[in-house]
Each structure stands twice: as C-alpha cells, then as structure tokens.
Amino acid sequence: MAQSLRCTGCVPPGFVVIEATDAGLTVQITVRSTAAFSPCPVCGGHSFRVHSRYQRFLLDLPLSGRNVHLHLQARRFHCDVPTCRRRIFAE
C-alpha cells in the first residue's frame, strides 16, 4: 500500500512537489515548474503561451535503499518572436 511522503526542501527553487508516495521499495516524486514563462533557447524571448504538456521520467540515486522515480511535468511553449527560427521549445 502506498504511503504519502512529506517532501520539504527536496526540490530546487522554481519547482513544486505535486505528489510524493512511498510504495515499499520505490519512492515516486512528481514535480512541476512554478515559472509563468520560459525563455526561448534560440532568441531568449520570454514566452507565456503553452503549446502542450508532457511527462519526463527520471531515475535518481537510491533513498535509504529504495529506488527513486522522478516524474517531471514539463511544458512546451510557442516562441512568438517573428524573427526567431524556433517555433516550439521545451522548458
């Protein structure tokens, strides 16, 4: 049976924990960004317009002998700068 975990101070600034569960040999932590915008990697323009969302699945080092699975809710943004060659980018 999964147990809820308290995850204070375990994520870097700019992220928030959505859910943290302890399922025996595995700890699963779901996080998302708190930023309202993301800069385009090509032109540096700030984009507030979200194109879509997707999940990234990462594995971290063991925590007290248990596997750690990180689920990151990532977003794709539109670049609205007319002269930029990049139309869509990920945060």
Side-chain angles (χ1 to χ4, degrees):
M1 178 178 213
Q3 295 177 336
S4 180
L5 296 175
R6 294 183 69 201
C7 205
T8 51
C10 66
V11 294
F15 290 89
V16 64
V17 175
I18 302 297
E19 181 181 26
T21 56
D22 179 4
L25 295 177
T26 302
V27 174
Q28 180 177 312
I29 302 170
T30 304
V31 298
R32 70 170 174 79
S33 172
T34 59
F37 64 88
S38 186
C40 174
V42 174
C43 70
H46 290 168
S47 178
F48 293 87
R49 197 159 62 112
V50 175
H51 173 271
S52 60
R53 291 174 173 80
Y54 67 101
Q55 294 234 352
R56 291 182 179 171
F57 301 99
L58 310 166
L59 299 178
D60 201 354
L61 293 173
L63 173 69
S64 298
R66 294 177 287 180
N67 296 325
V68 177
H69 294 194
L70 297 173
H71 293 197
L72 172 64
Q73 295 178 355
R75 298 173 292 180
R76 289 186 180 96
F77 287 86
H78 290 273
C79 182
D80 293 325
V81 176
T83 57
C84 183
R85 69 178 192 266
R86 176 72 56 94
R87 289 287 142 229
I88 298 171
F89 61 91
E91 64 181 336

